[in-house]
Amino acid sequence: MTAPATRSQRHGRGRGCVITRRATFSASHLYSLPELTPEQNQERFGRCSLAPGHGHNYELIVAMAGPLDGDGMVLNLSEVKHAIRREVTDALDFRFLNACWPEFDLRRHEGRLPTTEALCQVIWQRLAPHLPVVGLRLYEQSNLWADVLGDSMEAFLSIRTHFAAAHRLARPELSMAENEAIYGKCARPHGHGHNYLLDITVRGAIDPRTGMVCDLAELQRLVNDLVVEPFDHTFLNKDVPHFADCVPTAENIALHIADLLSAPVSATGATLHKVRLQESPNNAAEVYAEVPQLEMRPLALEALACA
Ligand SMILES: [Zn+2]
Ligand SMILES: [Zn+2]
């Protein structure tokens, strides 16, 4: 017979683990500040300012951490599910977000617009007293999501876009045989192409009134003007000057995109945090643009990314 203590050890009791739980809700919202005229709201928030509002199917990922109990769990998932429903989705599902919670009541001085990042931050405050939350991700749609990693006004905002381009991986000073030995089929002389998927993540403080870490339309315009337009439907080695003497591997392309976006993103008030370039279903490159400053990668973001 195995002693109970040994059994517990085998089940990992006391050892730490991060778990995630997904929940969904559908809700509408409207970006319109009462202190602005309808024209100013339209100018600032575009079609998001059109009354009576519009809706999204939101997806929430909750990452929680803690030691395993004797049953081999960080938390009982049934209790997690009920806490998320009770504290968050019951209050938001099929509702008008502006009217759901006092944080979004714009008649109040402290009221802010229910943007993805502001909503994610308020959900953190609702869940943190009940669950050991270490990270939250909220998808407004598949190409726009926010991450929050603590009880502060700081949030990460990510947008996804794509471009198609051709490249050839070869170093000009090497022979064909040497290049094939390094780059394999990617060194074939006439190149080949990919549909690149590009995720850009910025970090910043949520504005107490607009609820935004930066102007989303401006961020989308920067990524489009500086990356998608110049890269899309090109042969990278020949059409993008940087790659005339830099092999356009996924890693080098991601680094170049980070260099192109870093300063312009800073001008929006946010900080470029991460560039993720997916070349195919089988490979991707990630550049943490802030690692030299932060000297760390937020591990909770990793857990959310894999959820
Ligand atoms: Zn919206
Ligand atoms: Zn390739």
Side-chain angles (χ1 to χ4, degrees):
M1 273 235 4
T2 316
T6 315
R7 267 213 310 273
S8 298
Q9 279 167 1
R10 205 167 58 226
H11 285 290
R13 185 176 203 157
R15 293 178 64 188
C17 196
V18 176
I19 59 168
T20 55
R21 175 81 195 182
R22 173 180 172 272
T24 58
F25 58 94
S26 302
S28 64
H29 63 176
L30 175 66
Y31 292 178
S32 183
L33 293 172
E35 62 269 29
L36 302 183
T37 65
E39 292 73 28
Q40 288 170 324
N41 275 308
Q42 168 93 34
E43 160 90 24
R44 191 89 189 266
F45 307 118
R47 298 177 70 82
C48 296
S49 72
L50 295 178
H54 64 280
H56 301 282
N57 293 319
Y58 290 92
E59 185 180 347
L60 174 69
I61 312 288
V62 182
M64 293 150 285
L68 270 63
D69 61 18
D71 300 324
M73 296 188 284
V74 171
L75 293 159
N76 188 305
L77 274 186
S78 166
E79 287 165 23
V80 171
K81 183 171 84 177
H82 284 112
I84 296 172
R85 189 179 292 165
R86 186 182 68 241
E87 301 301 325
V88 179
T89 52
D90 270 355
L92 304 181
D93 199 23
F94 281 73
R95 316 266 181 160
F96 180 49
L97 293 173
N98 302 55
C100 280
W101 283 335
E103 289 88 340
F104 304 129
D105 181 354
L106 296 162
R107 294 166 303 182
R108 296 169 71 236
H109 176 66
E110 319 84 85
R112 72 194 70 117
L113 296 174
T115 62
T116 318
E117 56 270 43
L119 185 55
C120 197
Q121 192 258 343
V122 177
I123 291 173
W124 178 289
Q125 292 174 341
R126 291 291 195 282
L127 285 179
H130 307 281
L131 297 171
V133 183
V134 292
L136 284 184
R137 171 165 293 184
L138 182 65
Y139 287 94
E140 187 177 274
Q141 35 193 53
S142 58
N143 60 2
L144 174 66
W145 65 94
D147 295 294
V148 167
L149 300 180
D151 185 14
S152 74
M153 288 299 274
E154 181 179 83
F156 298 81
L157 186 70
S158 300
I159 57 173
R160 169 168 286 188
T161 184
H162 60 92
F163 61 89
H167 66 171
R168 178 183 180 230
L169 305 186
R171 288 166 56 190
E173 69 273 24
L174 301 182
S175 69
M176 186 65 209
E178 287 169 319
N179 274 317
E180 275 189 331
I182 299 168
Y183 299 110
K185 285 193 285 190
C186 301
R188 286 178 179 174
H190 300 299
H192 65 278
H194 299 282
N195 288 318
Y196 289 94
L197 209 54
L198 176 63
D199 296 346
I200 302 295
T201 301
V202 303
R203 182 178 63 85
I206 296 171
D207 182 278
R209 191 60 174 163
T210 66
M212 298 175 180
V213 297
C214 67
D215 182 336
L216 174 63
E218 172 68 4
L219 178 63
Q220 287 166 327
R221 191 188 63 74
L222 283 175
V223 174
N224 197 54
D225 290 357
L226 298 174
V227 181
V228 176
E229 273 306 311
F231 286 29
D232 193 29
H233 287 68
T234 63
F235 185 62
L236 293 168
N237 308 55
K238 291 183 186 294
D239 297 324
V240 176
H242 178 78
F243 298 115
D245 57 1
C246 171
V247 184
T249 57
E251 297 90 320
N252 270 332
I253 301 169
L255 280 165
H256 183 47
I257 291 171
D259 291 343
L260 288 171
L261 290 176
S262 232
V265 166
S266 293
T268 71
T271 305
L272 180 67
H273 179 71
K274 176 174 154 180
V275 171
R276 180 176 192 274
L277 184 69
Q278 185 162 340
E279 198 170 59
S280 77
N282 300 327
N283 75 296
E286 298 191 6
V287 171
Y288 283 80
E290 288 191 282
V291 164
Q293 293 106 290
L294 292 181
E295 291 182 344
M296 54 86 80
R297 291 159 48 148
L299 294 177
L301 266 188
E302 303 292 298
L304 291 164
C306 299

